[in-house]
Amino acid sequence: MSRKIDVLRDFFLVTEKLAAYPGFGRVLGLDAGTMLQNQDRLIYNAGHLQFEYKIPRHFVNKKVPLSGFLAIFDEMTTYAIVATDRKKRPGVSVSLSAEMMGDVAVMGDSIQINAEVVKSGRVMAFSKAEAIDPTSGQVICKGRHIKYLPMPWLTELALGPLMPLLKWFVSYFYDGKTTTTQSGAPRRLEDVLKFEETSANQQSARFLVEPDHCNPMGAAHGGCQAMGMEVLGQNYAAKTSSNSHVLKSMSVSYMSTGKKELVLDANWIHQTEYSGSMSVQVASSSGKPVSEGVLHFVVDHSAKKKCE
């Protein structure tokens, strides 16, 4: 086990004990507690982090959607950045993007996640990731992630030079304790992503942020927001077009933290006979922008012919 894996193990340990919620990471099967149990499946080498990821059966019905891979990449590239960054900072997301390269059903299967830190400095970190079918070697999906690294000075101090003291603190005062906000088996993804209210034309929806939707800091997880965008975008595309659309790529920009209640609004940017682009904006109940996703669809003419 390399020294960098030791760094991640320490990060998982303190995060599991001190995080407000295991949250959406638990739905993905990539929260700190789960990663501690599966650290033997992590391989790190010079900015590259590799993980054998078994798709939880509660996560998907048949295959992982594009936004699901984006959420997985969010977690794994963050862990790669923690292992690489001199101050071991997880940072906050600025943008996330993913592109589907294949159409492979992976429910219950294991896939290989490769995360690489392309460049990391004092302020920003740039990373990329890919999901690979280990049987065929086919690249299923590729993604990119940009993070803003500076954090409150006390957090940077705790994750850096004071980590040995922090480990002792959680071991002594939190011995045997784990986050108890969520108990029992993780909820199914379709239950987690249910909207509280949706407009008749499927253009907008209201979303109440609960513990299952959150990151360890208690705000709406960036990957969860992306998956909500895909759900609304797919529904709106089906409602406003006679064509069958397949989501091929998406990019998400993050502007502020999302808490309590979020409002999603979808609008076509352009449509042609063969493709279409859609914007899905996420805002707080007061109207403050939280994030925006741009979804790129291609028209599946074969599906249309089958219907005819």
Side-chain angles (χ1 to χ4, degrees):
M1 181 180 293
S2 72
R3 186 174 62 86
K4 296 297 186 179
I5 297 298
D6 291 340
V7 168
L8 286 174
R9 183 189 59 205
D10 292 344
F11 179 78
F12 297 147
L13 175 66
V14 299
T15 301
E16 183 201 21
K17 301 294 185 182
L18 298 178
Y21 310 99
F24 197 66
R26 185 169 182 256
V27 177
L28 297 171
L30 292 170
D31 62 288
T34 303
M35 295 303 291
L36 268 176
Q37 297 171 15
N38 295 283
Q39 57 184 295
D40 59 318
R41 289 191 276 160
L42 281 169
I43 300 173
Y44 180 91
N45 182 34
H48 294 72
L49 185 65
Q50 180 180 311
F51 181 61
E52 180 192 343
Y53 176 59
K54 186 174 178 64
I55 306 297
R57 291 192 175 273
H58 66 263
F59 182 44
V60 290
N61 286 327
K62 293 182 180 180
K63 62 182 181 180
V64 179
L66 175 60
S67 59
F69 280 114
L70 188 146
I72 293 167
F73 293 159
D74 184 359
E75 295 292 284
M76 293 308 303
T77 52
T78 296
Y79 296 151
I81 289 169
V82 168
T84 304
D85 181 54
R86 183 172 58 87
K87 297 182 179 180
K88 308 173 183 64
R89 299 168 295 179
V92 294
S93 294
V94 176
S95 68
L96 265 169
S97 62
E99 179 181 4
M100 192 66 78
M101 311 299 291
D103 189 12
V104 181
V106 292
M107 180 189 70
D109 291 344
S110 292
I111 57 175
Q112 179 180 315
I113 305 296
N114 295 334
E116 177 187 353
V117 179
V118 179
K119 182 178 177 61
S120 180
R122 289 186 300 174
V123 178
M124 306 296 289
F126 302 83
S127 60
K128 61 183 181 180
E130 59 184 11
I132 298 175
D133 182 340
T135 303
S136 65
Q138 178 187 8
V139 177
I140 305 169
C141 187
K142 289 185 175 182
R144 291 188 174 273
H145 193 188
I146 300 175
K147 302 202 82 171
Y148 177 76
L149 294 180
M151 305 188 76
W153 69 271
L154 187 58
T155 301
E156 292 196 3
L157 199 62
L159 293 175
L162 294 185
M163 176 59 83
L165 181 61
L166 182 60
K167 285 171 57 183
W168 173 85
F169 176 83
V170 298
S171 297
Y172 187 83
F173 290 99
Y174 291 81
D175 185 37
K177 296 181 181 179
T178 56
T179 306
T180 57
T181 304
Q182 296 154 301
S183 59
R187 292 165 61 192
R188 295 186 62 83
L189 183 65
E190 63 236 44
D191 297 326
V192 172
L193 291 178
K194 279 186 177 177
F195 296 128
E196 189 71 16
E197 182 181 345
T198 308
S199 62
N201 64 355
Q202 301 291 319
Q203 186 175 8
S204 62
R206 189 165 61 91
F207 188 77
L208 297 182
V209 179
E210 299 175 350
D212 275 319
H213 306 129
C214 293
N215 59 30
M217 302 304 292
H221 190 289
C224 182
Q225 293 182 50
M227 297 198 77
M229 291 175 184
E230 179 172 355
V231 171
L232 183 66
Q234 294 278 19
N235 291 344
Y236 184 53
K239 193 75 173 180
T240 57
S241 174
S242 59
N243 293 321
S244 176
H245 289 81
V246 177
L247 183 61
K248 296 298 291 183
S249 67
M250 70 181 296
S251 60
V252 183
S253 299
Y254 298 95
M255 291 158 271
S256 63
T257 56
K259 295 186 176 182
K260 295 183 178 179
E261 182 178 328
L262 300 178
V263 178
L264 287 75
D265 187 67
N267 288 281
W268 284 109
I269 299 172
H270 75 84
Q271 286 179 276
T272 70
E273 181 184 353
Y274 302 101
S275 63
S277 295
M278 182 186 296
S279 167
V280 181
Q281 297 179 325
V282 179
S284 66
S285 56
S286 64
K288 180 181 179 181
V290 173
S291 59
E292 180 178 8
V294 177
L295 286 61
H296 299 285
F297 296 91
V298 295
V299 175
D300 185 356
H301 291 285
S302 63
K304 186 175 181 180
K305 289 179 181 178
K306 289 178 182 177
C307 293
E308 294 174 348

